[in-house]
Structures are given as C-alpha cells and as structure tokens.
Amino acid sequence: MTAILIDGKGASQKLREEIATAVARLKLEHAVTPGLAVVLVGEDPASQIYVKNKARQTLEAGMASFEHRLAETITESELLSLIAKLNADPNVHGILVQLPLPAHIDEKAVIESIAPGKDVDGFHPENVGRVVAGEGGVVPCTPLGSLILIKQAVGDIAGKNAVVIGRSNIVGKPMAQLLLAHHCTVTIAHSRTPEIASVARTADILVAAVGRPEMVKGDWIKPGACVIDVGINRVAKESGEGYKVVGDVAFSEASEVAGCITPVPGGVGPMTIACLLANTYLATCRSVGAPPMEIF
Ligand code: GUN
C-alpha cells in the first residue's frame, strides 16, 4: 500500500465537534435548538441501524431528534399528512425521510412534499435546481462529505480533472455539480460509457458511486490520483460464512496506484451523517436569520 489513507471517521468526528460548538452558540445567542425529524417506514434492518446512529449523533451535537417509525403498510396519504405536520412544526428544522420507501409509496411525491427549507437531504427539486444554478440550496450529504474529504486531502482542486462514475440523483449528479462549482473539469461516466477504464485513468480525482462491488480496478487509476469510494456493498466472504462490506473500488489494487484513497468502511460513510447535521444546523440558522458559523 502506497496511497495515503483518507480518514473519514476522524474528519467526521472533527466536523461533528465543530457543529456542536456552533449549535451551542446558536442556542445561547438565538434561543433555538435545531431539531431533526427522521421518518423511517418499514423494518429494513440496515435502515434501522442507520436511523439509530443518526439519532444518537444528533443528540451528541446538542440538537433535538424526533424519530417517526411507521409500519410498512402505511398509506402514502398518511405519510404525506405526517410530513405536512412536520413542515408546520416550529421545533423541526430538518426533515429526512429514509429511502428507499415501500413500492406502494411514490418517492417523488414524498420528496416534493417536504418544505424546501427543511429538506436537509437536498433532494427537493428546488434545492437541486439551486445547487445546479449556484444559488445556494441544500447540498446532498454524501457528495458534500466527499467534497470535504477531497479538499482536505488535495487542497486546491481548481483545474483538476475529475471523473465521477455513477449518475444517481443522490450522489453522482450532485457530486459532479459540486466539483464543477469548485472549478474542476468534470466527466460523468456510467454503465453506457465506452472504454470506461481509460476515461477513469484521466482523473486526478476519481469518485466511484455505482453500487457495484470492487468494479474500479487498480489499472483504472492514474498514478497519484485521489480516489473517493462511495460504495457500500455487502458481499459474501470468500470462506462462504457471513458477509463483509466492500466499496466500488478494488481497494488493495487501487491503494498501490492512488495518491490517496478512502477506505470502506471508515471513509465517506461517516461523513454523510456529519453533513446531515451540518445541513440541519444551516437550515436552523436560515429559519431564525442567524449568520452560520464557518464550519467548512
Ligand atoms: N438512504 C440511504 N442513504 C440515504 C440518504 O442519504 N438520505 C435518505 N433520505 N435516505 C437514504
């Protein structure tokens, strides 16, 4: 291994400490406690663990956490009326509806029902549009966390070639927009991109967000590149017993070529929740007209 390991766990902890300081100041100076409401529909075990971690870290940052666990069988209109209540609740500054939702619920209708000012995921079309236009807007948590790690590892990224593999609304597309806003030359590669390995090899900054275990091989990477692995894939262990979590990058090969690389787990993952807390803090500041502390 020659690459420098990017410590997402450490960076997440540092960011959460900064947010806790900023929240304490907001409480003192504006008498407001940021509140985050998380809505979980159904019993998906991975989502349950994720939601529990979110609630714990929300409280640790000095914020209020409101959890709504709903049965898999809830109707779309029942879910929409809960969101309408949360939109109107002055103690709730951020709303996150855990995805994916059961098939009988229209995800788009749910996302669009969240008040844009409380949309701490940045998935509402108004926020998507504002981010693309460079007019503020809420930046989705995973791309924001990735950008923070890239800037900490690389420094000034203006003029760098960035390749984002994956074009999802949650990661690929907003990641590309953020890199563009930071003056990178950006390429989005995806399943229909011919010669994808040679496209990836042009990258000074390579972000893999496809959800395919270890797809990005060592020879896809330009020597010295910064490699950000957004993938979290559960695969069977070689022994046949149990599972392990791997990213979208073949880590051991890639770390022989890259200049710096995020591990999975312990890279981008921990940054996602920290950025959710940052977005909740920012939403609270906007709602009370407080200037936000510079936290990144
Ligand atoms: N499910 C997996 N990741 C996310 C996320 O960032 N936001 C929401 N709302 N659901 C998710």
Side-chain angles (χ1 to χ4, degrees):
M1 157 126 192
T2 54
I4 293 167
L5 207 57
I6 298 174
D7 177 13
K9 234 171 131 175
S12 158
Q13 179 157 359
K14 184 167 167 286
L15 178 54
R16 284 181 287 119
E17 284 166 9
E18 285 168 1
I19 294 165
T21 304
V23 166
R25 205 160 116 183
L26 196 60
K27 283 181 181 173
L28 266 178
E29 294 177 0
H30 293 269
V32 61
T33 300
L36 172 64
V38 174
V39 180
L40 174 61
V41 181
E43 308 282 328
D44 176 55
S47 291
Q48 288 197 337
I49 294 169
Y50 197 50
V51 165
K52 209 170 118 193
N53 283 336
K54 275 179 196 160
R56 178 176 52 79
Q57 295 187 21
T58 304
L59 296 173
E60 282 171 6
M63 301 185 184
S65 170
F66 307 99
E67 258 182 71
H68 296 269
R69 290 169 182 262
L70 309 171
E72 180 92 21
T73 50
I74 192 171
T75 64
E76 184 176 312
S77 70
E78 284 171 312
L79 179 56
L80 292 176
S81 65
L82 170 63
I83 292 169
K85 270 196 209 129
L86 297 174
N87 282 341
D89 185 340
N91 295 314
V92 172
H93 304 91
I95 302 170
L96 179 142
V97 179
Q98 185 71 21
L99 303 178
L101 288 166
H104 67 277
I105 296 177
D106 178 0
E107 222 160 77
K108 187 167 169 289
V110 171
I111 288 169
E112 291 184 7
S113 75
I114 298 171
K118 295 192 178 187
D119 165 38
V120 282
D121 262 324
F123 295 166
H124 189 285
E126 181 176 319
N127 285 315
V128 175
R130 285 187 185 280
V131 169
V132 172
E135 293 171 2
V138 180
V139 179
C141 305
T142 300
L144 180 57
S146 302
L147 182 76
I148 293 170
L149 293 180
I150 292 167
K151 290 185 77 171
Q152 284 177 359
V154 177
D156 183 12
I157 60 173
K160 302 277 186 198
N161 283 332
V163 175
V164 179
I165 308 179
R167 53 176 161 174
S168 69
N169 290 337
I170 294 180
V171 185
K173 287 181 199 166
M175 185 77 245
Q177 290 298 336
L178 281 185
L179 291 163
L180 182 61
H182 286 78
H183 315 294
C184 291
T185 303
V186 182
T187 304
I188 305 178
H190 49 79
S191 54
R192 306 279 181 93
T193 302
E195 308 289 345
I196 195 164
S198 50
V199 173
R201 263 194 306 275
T202 65
D204 303 309
I205 297 164
L206 181 63
V207 181
V210 270
R212 292 183 58 181
E214 302 181 322
M215 180 176 115
V216 176
K217 306 298 181 199
D219 64 2
W220 292 34
I221 293 166
K222 179 179 182 173
C226 174
V227 177
I228 302 294
D229 189 349
V230 179
I232 299 176
N233 308 289
R234 232 164 69 104
V235 296
K237 280 190 182 160
E238 288 87 9
S239 66
E241 277 179 35
Y243 292 88
K244 61 176 179 176
V245 173
V246 300
D248 291 347
V249 176
F251 181 84
S252 58
E253 292 176 21
S255 58
E256 297 299 330
V257 189
C260 56
I261 187 167
T262 57
V264 176
V268 173
M271 288 302 282
T272 298
I273 298 184
C275 288
L276 174 67
L277 302 179
N279 280 346
T280 304
Y281 165 71
L282 293 173
T284 313
C285 288
R286 277 195 305 273
S287 79
V288 298
M293 242 172 88
E294 284 276 322
I295 45 181
F296 37 71

